[in-house]
Amino acid sequence: MAIFGVAALVIAAMWIFQVFLLQSIYLAGKKSQFIADTNTMVSSIQQIQQGDLLTSYDLISDLGDLAVSNSYYLEIADAVGNPMMSYNAMGERSVLKNNSLVRNQVLYTLQLEQNQNNVLFFEDTHSSTSQDYYICAVRFTVAGQELTVLTETALAPVGEAVDAIRGQLIWVSIVLLLIATGIALYISRSIAKPVKQLSQATREIAKGNLLVQVPVQGKDELSVLAQDFNIMSKEISKATALQRELVANVSHDIRTPLTMIKGYAETIKDLTGNNPEKRNQQLDIIIDESNRLNVLVNDILDLSKLQAGQQKMNFIQFDLAQKLRDIVGRYALLESEEQYQISLSAPEHYFIVGDEVKIEQVIYNILNNAVNHTGADKKIFITLDDSQLPGRVLVRDTGKGIAPEDLPLIWDRYYKPYKKDDRKGMGTGLGLSIVKAILEAHHFAYGVDSRLGEGSTFWFETAPRGKKREHKNG
């Protein structure tokens, strides 16, 4: 529509200026220029002494140039109109030269004019040739003698030119409209089609078809938009799949302890209520399963708050080396009862700035992950490397390792690349997602290096590198 509007404006402007206004513009310009040239001629004469009027080379040259360049008839006459000097560049078309009646009428009108130096303007059409013409007449005094200047010019047949232009403009208008139609159709197909495809794809996503993709053609803005739409569609599909998996896994993990709690509670009620030994064993199981539920709910709440930005970080300076020793000390029972070997290598003191509680949660989650998935030797190695800046905490296990295709996914919510035959009670599947959220809130770089059959090393740095978040998988 805009193309047609522009074409219509161009055509309308051409018709207005080339047809409707051409003649009036030409006549107004011609009249103004003709009167100005007459005044120029009078000024030239007034600069020459009367005795030199007829012999002045400069005057004769100026009049000749003015007449030839503009196709004028120029004449200098005395007070009663007797010619003294003339220059005719119009030939037989000159009315003043060839029609004494018109010339006498101009001189008579000039004599009736009382004011000198006032240019009188005449316009008429030659009766025999139908030629339009302009005449100017002015009377003035030079060296005590009155002189008369008569000038004449013929008008070009503008009407005929307008008729010719009108015929040409009709074809030009038709061609412009055809071109505008072609451009409009091309733009409509090149722009409207991708827009319709995007609109249709959006409706498909609204219906639940998250796998819809839009064809990408070219490198223009619409193609970039289509490419971004496809990326968005993939991310939405991925997020939806993770959400469904999260709901399914959480539901499964909630159902299992609830089933056990309910089963053992009914057993105590109906069978073992009077047997203290069995009753206490079953009550311990109920307590353990309740704790599992509590951990799961707390992990879900922590992750939701961290990702929503609702938990504020309380940044303080604390001794990370001492914090690591405190945490490892709490695993003494696990080492004595299940023969785990947790080795810590750290300097005596190492101070960092961060949220002490949240960093402690990060260390616990990574360490628990290592405990759950280390090898048969049950060895875990914790290192606080202060040999470079920023320092780095590394937790290495000797387990089966993680497949390369799983490495980018382990930080997602509830992603579990491990087998169910790993350590019983392996966790909620949200621990690494919580680690990711806390470290990114601190702007600490983090990552994992892993090889199948050799174990995995989870690490995070202890200070931000500028404001850039760094996430690496080795």
Side-chain angles (χ1 to χ4, degrees):
M1 195 65 185
I3 301 296
F4 279 105
V6 172
L9 287 176
V10 171
I11 293 172
M14 293 174 61
W15 277 88
I16 290 173
F17 288 102
Q18 297 296 323
V19 176
F20 301 110
L21 298 181
L22 179 61
Q23 185 167 0
S24 59
I25 292 173
Y26 167 74
L27 293 177
K30 185 70 173 180
K31 178 180 178 180
S32 177
Q33 183 63 40
F34 183 51
I35 294 175
D37 289 343
T38 301
N39 286 323
T40 299
M41 179 179 174
V42 172
S43 298
S44 300
I45 295 173
Q46 289 175 336
Q47 294 174 5
I48 298 174
Q49 296 295 327
Q50 178 63 25
D52 299 331
L53 182 62
L54 300 179
T55 59
S56 171
Y57 175 81
D58 291 337
L59 178 60
I60 295 173
S61 177
D62 289 344
L63 292 180
D65 292 342
L66 185 62
V68 171
S69 61
N70 295 281
S71 298
Y72 288 164
Y73 172 81
L74 306 178
E75 179 183 327
I76 302 175
D78 58 18
V80 296
N82 296 318
M84 300 172 59
M85 179 188 300
S86 65
Y87 203 108
N88 183 15
M90 295 180 61
E92 296 300 323
R93 296 181 301 161
S94 173
V95 177
L96 290 177
K97 181 68 175 176
N98 301 304
N99 193 322
S100 58
L101 182 61
V102 174
R103 186 174 186 278
N104 291 334
Q105 184 178 2
V106 170
L107 292 173
Y108 177 74
T109 304
L110 185 62
Q111 288 177 357
L112 295 178
E113 177 67 30
Q114 297 298 321
N115 297 324
Q116 292 190 354
N117 298 322
N118 186 24
V119 177
L120 296 182
F121 178 79
F122 304 88
E123 58 180 326
D124 204 347
T125 302
H126 197 288
S127 58
S128 60
T129 62
S130 298
Q131 173 69 55
D132 295 329
Y133 61 88
Y134 286 163
I135 293 176
C136 281
V138 58
R139 185 174 59 183
F140 58 97
T141 301
V142 175
Q145 182 179 3
E146 288 189 357
L147 296 178
T148 300
V149 168
L150 302 175
T151 58
E152 178 188 0
T153 184
L155 301 180
V158 181
E160 296 178 5
V162 169
D163 292 338
I165 292 174
R166 184 183 293 111
Q168 294 176 357
L169 281 180
I170 292 175
W171 289 105
V172 171
S173 301
I174 293 173
V175 172
L176 282 178
L177 287 175
L178 291 175
I179 293 175
T181 301
I183 295 175
L185 289 175
Y186 173 76
I187 293 178
S188 176
R189 291 180 179 178
S190 60
I191 294 180
K193 184 178 180 181
V195 171
K196 289 181 179 179
Q197 290 175 337
L198 282 171
S199 177
Q200 180 63 33
T202 303
R203 287 193 291 269
E204 288 295 320
I205 287 183
K207 294 177 182 178
N209 180 14
L210 302 180
L211 300 178
V212 64
Q213 296 284 287
V214 178
V216 178
Q217 299 176 350
K219 296 183 179 180
D220 56 10
E221 290 81 359
L222 284 174
S223 299
V224 173
L225 179 60
Q227 187 174 4
D228 292 341
F229 179 90
N230 292 337
I231 295 174
M232 178 197 70
S233 175
K234 291 179 180 178
E235 291 300 319
I236 292 176
S237 177
K238 178 182 175 182
T240 303
L242 287 174
Q243 183 180 20
R244 290 173 181 170
E245 182 182 359
L246 174 63
V247 172
N249 290 332
V250 169
S251 300
H252 176 270
D253 280 359
I254 290 177
R255 185 185 299 112
T256 300
L258 283 177
T259 301
M260 295 180 69
I261 291 171
K262 180 181 179 182
Y264 280 106
E266 291 176 346
T267 301
I268 293 172
K269 177 182 177 182
D270 298 334
L271 300 175
T272 62
N274 296 324
N275 186 332
E277 183 178 356
K278 291 185 177 180
R279 183 182 65 229
N280 290 336
Q281 290 177 350
Q282 291 165 351
L283 286 174
D284 287 339
I285 295 175
I286 290 175
I287 292 172
D288 290 340
E289 295 303 320
S290 298
N291 289 334
R292 283 185 61 192
L293 282 177
N294 186 55
V295 171
L296 176 60
V297 171
N298 287 337
D299 282 352
I300 293 174
L301 290 176
D302 286 345
L303 182 59
S304 298
K305 290 178 180 179
L306 285 167
Q307 291 182 336
Q310 295 178 353
Q311 281 197 344
K312 301 296 182 181
M313 297 292 126
N314 181 27
F315 290 94
I316 61 172
Q317 188 180 61
F318 66 95
D319 189 344
L320 180 60
Q322 185 59 46
K323 178 64 64 177
L324 286 170
R325 283 190 285 270
D326 291 343
I327 293 174
V328 171
R330 296 168 195 168
Y331 282 81
L333 183 62
L334 188 65
E335 290 180 295
S336 62
E337 291 188 355
E338 299 190 30
Q339 288 74 50
Y340 277 84
Q341 301 178 45
I342 302 178
S343 302
L344 172 63
S345 173
E348 183 176 358
H349 297 287
Y350 188 85
F351 290 92
I352 69 169
V353 175
D355 188 312
E356 184 175 2
V357 175
K358 295 301 180 185
I359 294 299
E360 183 176 357
Q361 187 177 7
V362 166
I363 297 170
Y364 265 118
N365 286 350
I366 294 178
L367 185 53
N368 285 336
N369 184 77
V371 169
N372 290 332
H373 308 298
T374 194
D377 57 6
K378 296 186 177 181
K379 291 183 179 181
I380 299 169
F381 304 90
I382 305 174
T383 304
L384 175 52
D385 182 6
D386 62 346
S387 62
Q388 56 184 355
L389 293 177
R392 181 175 289 195
V393 175
L394 305 98
V395 179
R396 179 171 67 88
D397 62 61
T398 59
K400 299 177 181 179
I402 307 171
E405 62 270 16
D406 290 326
L407 283 175
L409 306 175
I410 62 173
W411 307 99
D412 292 337
R413 291 177 298 176
Y414 227 102
Y415 185 81
K416 295 182 179 181
Y418 305 102
K419 302 296 184 181
K420 292 296 184 181
D421 58 359
D422 286 348
R423 184 174 183 270
K424 183 179 178 181
M426 55 186 291
T428 64
L430 299 175
L432 292 181
S433 296
I434 294 173
V435 168
K436 172 184 177 182
I438 293 174
L439 293 177
E440 288 190 347
H442 282 73
H443 302 291
F444 289 180
Y446 62 94
V448 57
D449 303 319
S450 184
R451 294 180 182 274
L452 289 176
E454 298 181 10
S456 304
T457 301
F458 285 82
W459 59 266
F460 67 90
E461 294 183 349
T462 58
R465 294 184 176 181
K467 293 185 177 180
K468 181 180 179 182
R469 296 181 181 179
E470 189 173 329
H471 177 182
K472 296 181 180 178
N473 292 318

